[in-house]
């Protein structure tokens, strides 16, 4: 996806990149990067104001560290 291209083009050496966006693109990118993510029973992974923290170590598969949805707070 276009967003995944941005990630690969702009990811700095320390592996930190802040992205803010809107669905469905962000959700599709998250699922593409971390296909083992379990989608909640309501079928909505990236609801409004959801925060996802992903580690993107060089040469390794991405790992989702946190997914915080407002209703979970």
């Amino acid at each position: 996806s276009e967003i995944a291209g941005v990630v690969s083009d702009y990811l700095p050496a320390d592996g930190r990149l802040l992205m803010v966006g809107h669905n469905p693109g962000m959700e599709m990118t998250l699922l593409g990067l971390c296909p083992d993510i379990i989608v909640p029973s309501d079928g909505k992974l990236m609801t409004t104001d959801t925060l996802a923290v992903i580690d993107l170590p060089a040469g390794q598969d991405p790992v989702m560290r946190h997914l915080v949805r407002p209703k979970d707070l």
Side-chain angles (χ1 to χ4, degrees):
S1 80
E2 187 174 335
I3 297 172
V6 170
V7 171
S8 64
D9 289 347
Y10 292 99
L11 189 66
D14 69 0
R16 295 176 189 206
L17 177 67
L18 173 66
M19 296 178 56
V20 178
H22 196 273
N23 274 331
M26 296 304 277
E27 184 168 309
M28 290 170 53
T29 300
L30 182 60
L31 290 168
L33 289 171
C34 304
D36 296 335
I37 293 173
I38 297 171
V39 177
S41 60
D42 63 8
K44 299 176 183 177
L45 182 62
M46 295 291 292
T47 59
T48 301
D49 296 326
T50 296
L51 172 69
V53 178
I54 305 167
D55 286 343
L56 298 163
Q60 299 178 31
D61 291 336
V63 177
M64 187 174 72
R65 296 291 178 201
H66 306 283
L67 184 70
V68 182
R69 298 173 5 146
K71 76 176 211 170
D72 298 333
L73 297 176

